[in-house]
């Protein structure tokens, strides 16, 4: 199973970006999917998660600026980010719990996509 993240880039403060992360490989179904980020010199932190049923959870720092969504048929999770701030600059990773069959599953991480917000 592989997770391929995309959509990062350089944007000015106040701008928007939409990240995508597609899972591929041997997939029976996918449970939770989520986005995490790691800024230089800091620990990785949770940004948002979404269950297979669409229940979402956000970190406090999101403050209503980001929206996580998923397309189950495409095995893809999205993160729409608005009103970006310089402190949102980080490497954004996607994570998913993938069931490869009815009896086994694991967490998988994507390689990360870099988001840089200039002031």
């Amino acid at each position: 199973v592989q997770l391929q993240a995309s959509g990062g880039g350089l944007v000015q403060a106040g701008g928007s970006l939409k990240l995508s992360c597609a899972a591929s490989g041997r997939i029976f179904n996918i449970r939770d999917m989520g986005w995490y980020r790691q800024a230089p010199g800091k620990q990785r932190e949770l940004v948002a998660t979404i269950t297979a049923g669409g229940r979402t959870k956000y970190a406090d720092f999101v403050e209503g600026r980001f929206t996580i969504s998923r397309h189950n048929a495409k095995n893809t999770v999205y993160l729409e980010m608005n009103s970006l701030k310089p402190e949102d600059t980080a490497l954004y990773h996607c994570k998913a719990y993938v069931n490869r069959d009815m009896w086994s599953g694991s967490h998988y991480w994507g390689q990360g996509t870099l988001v840089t917000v200039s002031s």
Side-chain angles (χ1 to χ4, degrees), residues 11-104:
V11 64
Q12 288 189 331
S16 300
L17 283 174
K18 186 173 183 178
L19 309 182
S20 300
C21 177
S24 62
R26 181 180 173 185
I27 299 171
F28 179 67
N29 59 35
I30 301 177
R31 287 168 38 185
D32 294 0
M33 304 184 82
W35 289 94
Y36 294 73
R37 71 184 189 183
Q38 186 167 18
K42 295 187 177 181
Q43 290 189 330
R44 186 178 295 182
E45 60 183 353
L46 179 146
V47 178
T49 60
I50 184 168
T51 66
R55 188 184 310 166
T56 59
K57 175 182 176 181
Y58 296 93
D60 290 342
F61 62 76
V62 169
E63 300 175 323
R65 300 179 296 128
F66 300 173
T67 301
I68 189 171
S69 60
R70 63 190 284 173
H71 193 303
N72 289 332
K74 294 183 178 180
N75 294 325
T76 300
V77 61
Y78 306 96
L79 184 68
E80 186 166 4
M81 304 185 294
N82 300 309
S83 302
L84 283 162
K85 306 174 182 179
E87 51 264 43
D88 293 319
T89 295
L91 188 64
Y92 283 70
H93 296 269
C94 55
K95 179 183 177 182
Y97 189 92
V98 179
N99 288 313
R100 296 183 298 279
D101 51 44
M102 292 181 65
W103 306 278
S104 62

